[in-house]
Amino acid sequence: MRAQDTLRLTKAACEAKFLSENLLLLAEKLEIPKAEALVQQARLWPNPQFTLDQVNLWATRSQTGGNEVVPPLFGNFGKNRQFGAEIEQLILTARKRGKLIAVEQVKVDQSLAYFEELLRNLKLELRKDLIELQHLQLRETTYQKQLEAVRQLLAAYQRQVQEGHIPRSEYVRLKSLELEILKGMNDLEQQKNESQSAIRQWANIPADRFLIVSEDGFRIPTAALPKVNFPEVMEEAKQNRPDLRASLLDHTLALKQMDYEKARRTPDLTIKGTYDRNGNAMLNFFGLGASIDLPVFDRNQGNIRRAGIVAEQAQKVSDYQTRKVENEVSLAYRNLLSAYHIASRIEEGYEGALDNMLGAYTKNFSNRNLSMLEFLDFMNAYLDNKQTILETYKSVNERLQELNYAVGRDLL
């Protein structure tokens, strides 16, 4: 892999790139101005309607044999012509316009909540992929240390076998150990490729880049456990969770929609002004009029009833969502405490001591102070211990992110 093809990022830098360039987020964010545009549309008054009719195509002849004479309106316009003109304006009653604006404004708030919920979900997936890649990189480092030690021994043993000082079977056993390590590294490489592919997709990174995430923040000190009590965490979740806010907005929207439907019981008023040219006894007739529906049969009963049922449904869903949030926070909080409890049992400097022991065992085995069986037992124990430590820190990281996800904000 060429250096120019390798991209090294911290978790924070990768997340910043995700926030600014993730295509799903950018697409969902456009839903907010779309909803705002509907608020703008709801604020507009209905357009007036203009009608021109009764325009005669020719002038009729009078009983005396001549054409009827109608003077022009101005210039030569309207001479010997009949026509009518009318302009109408719809007047919304019962504050329908304001109530419709309120409905659309709630939809804007919903769009924002939906965007934040998508962000919350995608951020959790991104962070778990970053943690997984850090974990795999550190496991690869463990294998590399083992591989380096084994290859040093193989180089020395090859000369000893050629000189007849040690049996070839010991060299073959070390070679077998090298192949086992290489197979483990190959399996890790495939897992790394999958994690890198996912992260590149989240952060919109070109597919030809080899991604390396720094190890910063992987080993979280046990003293960094958030000092919060459970009731406070629960209350924060109820304030911050966008999915809960969205369910509450569904209920609010249903209530606003019911208010609007109730307002529609009141008929709207249409006022109009009319001008008639040569259409009756008067040459120029100006008139005013108004029209309104008579709510004899249709008083919007069905839509009002439906809106009430929708509001009741939304309230039940909101109550369910509240209970769901409470259970998710409780589970995430307890899981984090459990993970921290295990991590707290790892003594400071224990990992370094294991690495020092690897060097010491390799040297003692090279000096024939250890048997092959003792050396192989240590190598297995070294690998198991390192993997257990890394799995423990990975679990702490993931449980913390799950609590952040459940609460709706970063606690740490």
Side-chain angles (χ1 to χ4, degrees):
M1 183 64 63
R2 296 176 300 172
Q4 58 266 34
D5 295 330
T6 300
L7 182 61
R8 300 177 184 272
L9 292 174
T10 63
K11 286 200 297 185
C14 193
E15 188 166 318
K17 191 171 179 61
F18 156 78
L19 293 173
S20 63
E21 299 187 29
N22 182 269
L23 299 179
L24 283 177
L25 285 180
L26 294 177
E28 183 65 23
K29 198 170 185 178
L30 292 175
E31 293 294 328
I32 299 173
K34 281 171 60 177
E36 290 173 342
L38 294 179
V39 174
Q40 178 186 8
Q41 183 63 35
R43 294 182 185 278
L44 302 178
W45 284 92
N47 287 326
Q49 182 179 9
F50 175 75
T51 303
L52 178 65
D53 60 5
Q54 302 181 39
V55 179
N56 62 309
L57 300 179
W58 58 84
T60 59
R61 300 181 64 85
S62 67
Q63 294 180 354
T64 59
N67 291 334
E68 293 182 355
V69 178
V70 178
L73 280 173
F74 51 84
N76 200 36
F77 176 75
K79 184 178 180 181
N80 297 333
R81 291 292 179 189
Q82 174 190 341
F83 62 86
E86 185 177 79
I87 187 167
E88 297 183 4
Q89 176 65 55
L90 177 66
I91 305 297
L92 299 177
T93 60
R95 299 179 58 202
K96 292 188 185 73
R97 178 167 160 269
K99 291 175 180 178
L100 183 58
I101 292 171
V103 168
E104 297 299 338
Q105 186 59 58
V106 174
K107 292 181 181 179
V108 173
D109 297 336
Q110 283 183 317
S111 297
L112 181 58
Y114 295 152
F115 170 75
E116 292 176 353
E117 176 63 8
L118 177 65
L119 174 60
R120 186 175 74 103
N121 283 282
L122 295 187
K123 188 183 290 186
L124 177 65
E125 294 187 40
L126 169 69
R127 288 177 174 181
K128 283 195 170 184
D129 285 330
L130 289 171
I131 292 168
E132 177 65 15
L133 184 55
Q134 285 182 312
H135 171 245
L136 293 173
Q137 290 174 172
L138 289 167
R139 283 185 61 191
E140 185 180 47
T141 300
T142 300
Y143 276 115
Q144 287 172 342
K145 289 179 180 179
Q146 281 190 310
L147 183 62
E148 182 181 351
V150 170
R151 284 181 169 173
Q152 288 176 357
L153 293 173
L154 280 172
Y157 267 52
Q158 189 173 27
R159 292 191 298 270
Q160 295 292 326
V161 169
Q162 291 171 351
E163 295 172 2
H165 298 310
I166 60 174
R168 185 170 180 80
S169 60
E170 291 194 4
Y171 175 81
V172 172
R173 187 65 190 88
L174 282 176
K175 192 68 178 176
S176 175
L177 178 58
E178 179 192 34
L179 293 176
E180 290 177 11
I181 295 172
L182 288 173
K183 181 181 181 302
M185 293 179 70
N186 181 66
D187 293 341
L188 282 179
E189 188 65 26
Q190 294 182 27
Q191 296 176 54
K192 281 173 55 184
N193 290 339
E194 293 177 4
S195 293
Q196 289 183 22
S197 177
I199 294 170
R200 284 195 296 263
Q201 184 69 28
W202 295 131
N204 199 23
I205 297 172
D208 59 347
R209 294 298 182 90
F210 184 83
L211 184 61
I212 296 177
V213 178
S214 69
E215 301 172 7
D216 299 342
F218 183 78
R219 296 177 177 85
I220 300 176
T222 54
L225 175 65
K227 302 294 191 252
V228 292
N229 60 50
F230 184 73
E232 289 177 351
V233 170
M234 186 66 71
E235 189 59 33
E236 283 203 53
K238 292 179 180 179
Q239 296 295 325
N240 295 317
R241 282 280 292 260
D243 56 338
L244 179 57
R245 188 162 67 252
S247 70
L248 294 173
L249 286 170
D250 286 342
H251 183 244
T252 302
L253 177 64
L255 294 177
K256 297 291 185 183
Q257 190 69 45
M258 185 164 61
D259 288 342
Y260 176 68
E261 295 296 344
K262 287 180 178 179
R264 290 180 62 194
R265 290 181 302 190
T266 304
D268 294 327
L269 176 67
T270 300
I271 59 174
K272 52 188 172 182
T274 303
Y275 170 72
D276 190 11
R277 171 74 170 174
N278 196 33
N280 51 40
M282 299 177 64
L283 177 63
N284 295 305
F285 172 79
F286 294 91
L288 293 175
S291 65
I292 188 171
D293 289 342
L294 298 179
V296 177
F297 305 109
D298 181 1
R299 295 188 298 277
N300 208 33
Q301 302 97 314
N303 286 329
I304 293 172
R305 180 169 174 244
R306 179 184 180 278
I309 295 172
V310 170
E312 184 179 356
Q313 283 181 319
Q315 180 63 62
K316 294 184 182 301
V317 172
S318 177
D319 292 341
Y320 169 81
Q321 191 67 28
T322 300
R323 297 295 173 267
K324 181 182 177 184
V325 167
E326 291 172 353
N327 284 308
E328 288 180 355
V329 172
S330 176
L331 176 62
Y333 188 78
R334 296 178 191 280
N335 286 344
L336 178 61
L337 290 179
S338 177
Y340 264 103
H341 176 71
I342 297 174
S344 66
R345 307 303 299 172
I346 301 175
E347 297 178 0
E348 187 176 354
Y350 179 63
E351 273 194 275
L354 282 175
D355 292 334
N356 292 335
M357 288 177 66
L358 175 62
Y361 266 74
T362 302
K363 183 177 180 180
N364 283 324
F365 180 66
S366 178
N367 293 334
R368 312 296 292 172
N369 295 327
L370 292 174
S371 67
M372 175 65 75
L373 183 58
E374 290 174 318
F375 179 71
L376 293 178
D377 283 344
F378 170 76
M379 292 295 276
N380 289 330
Y382 171 81
L383 183 61
D384 289 344
N385 273 266
K386 292 286 282 190
Q387 289 185 353
T388 298
I389 292 171
L390 294 177
E391 287 287 348
T392 299
Y393 283 123
K394 176 187 174 186
S395 178
V396 171
N397 274 277
E398 290 181 338
R399 300 297 85 77
L400 176 59
Q401 294 308 323
E402 287 169 2
L403 181 59
N404 289 338
Y405 175 80
V407 174
R409 78 168 184 88
D410 292 346
L411 297 174
L412 180 64

